[in-house]
Structure formats: C-alpha cells, structure tokens
Amino acid sequence: MIKSINHDPTTLSQKAVPATPQDRQTVIDLLDTLKANSQVCVGMAANMIGVNKRIIVVSMGMLPVALINPEIVLKREPYSTREGCLSLSGEQQTTRYKQITVRYQDQNFESHEQPFSDWIAQIIQHEVDHCEGILI
Ligand SMILES: [Zn+2]
C-alpha cells in the first residue's frame, strides 16, 4: 500500500529497531511507496513512512530492491557530495564512500553480504543513515 511521507524530524531522528519476518507488510508498503515516488526519489527507509524498523528500499535500475537490517561492514574511497531527501527540503553537503560492502537480509529473510559502488552505494548510505536516525 502506498503510504504518505513522514516529514517529522523527531520520529525521523530515532534509531530504527531490527526488522523481523512480522514486518513483511512494511517491506511491501515501502516498495509500493518508492514506486509511487520514483520520479523524485531513488530510495526510502521505513521511518520515512512512519515505521521505526530497519528496512530500506533502493532503486537499482528499473527494480526497487529491499534490504532488511542493512549494515555497512566496509567503506572505501570517501568523497564529498550534496544530497537531497524526500523528507527534508533543500540539499546538504555530506561525505560518502565510493565502495561499500553491505550485510543485509532479502525479502525472504535470507542473509547476504554484497559489494556496491558509486550511485547505488550512495543511495544505500543515505538510507542506512535514516535507519540510524541520521538526517543529512
Ligand atoms: Zn532521505
């Protein structure tokens, strides 16, 4: 189900708690909401639809992919960039890493460890920050 976007800095600043298989509907809602906002948004975290669970979705090519309980276990090649956020207005300066490795679970709650780079890596870092309650 497509949900409305949370703009409340208080709830967005809370650290998300681990997701469990009981949160499958939130994963689906988040994928639906990202698809509905795909013109303006390339990734979302669950707290952006008001659910304080550690779930993110990221546009990878045509396909939005869910990363559940994501953890960045390796970061390489820092650079400075500017980013916007659907929950905030304007753009902010931030440091990202060109190469990252992410440990996460897929929609079936199977574990993966996968490297990502460049644009996809940047989106993941932005959304994982949301899970930590960090806003750019
Ligand atoms: Zn954001």
Side-chain angles (χ1 to χ4, degrees):
M1 193 193 287
I2 299 167
K3 301 285 184 176
S4 60
I5 304 299
N6 177 19
H7 297 278
D8 172 30
T10 305
T11 52
L12 287 169
S13 297
Q14 283 166 16
K15 193 177 155 97
V17 301
T20 70
Q22 276 73 55
D23 298 308
R24 280 176 204 276
Q25 187 58 48
T26 297
V27 177
I28 293 164
D29 291 345
L30 202 53
L31 288 166
D32 289 346
T33 307
L34 179 63
K35 281 179 215 159
N37 288 281
S38 63
Q39 297 300 316
V40 290
C41 184
V42 288
M44 294 186 72
N47 59 7
M48 292 176 70
I49 58 168
V51 179
N52 194 32
K53 293 292 176 80
R54 200 171 175 90
I55 305 166
I56 68 172
V57 291
V58 176
S59 287
M60 297 193 193
M62 289 284 98
L63 200 73
V65 176
L67 280 66
I68 299 167
N69 298 317
E71 238 185 290
I72 298 172
V73 293
L74 194 133
K75 304 180 198 183
R76 265 204 291 253
E77 292 180 59
Y79 64 100
S80 187
T81 186
R82 294 180 71 78
E83 284 178 1
C85 175
L86 198 58
S87 284
L88 305 171
S89 54
E91 286 196 339
Q92 317 287 331
Q93 196 80 31
T94 186
T95 299
R96 297 299 181 203
Y97 296 81
K98 258 182 132 44
Q99 317 266 358
I100 60 171
T101 300
V102 184
R103 201 174 286 159
Y104 67 96
Q105 291 161 291
D106 63 22
Q107 274 193 83
N108 299 315
F109 283 82
E110 285 176 22
S111 295
H112 300 269
E113 198 173 294
Q114 198 179 331
F116 295 93
S117 58
D118 303 306
W119 177 230
I120 302 291
Q122 184 178 354
I123 302 167
I124 292 172
Q125 289 168 82
H126 179 105
E127 304 313 332
V128 169
D129 275 357
H130 274 294
C131 295
E132 302 295 340
I134 298 167
L135 299 167
I136 48 161

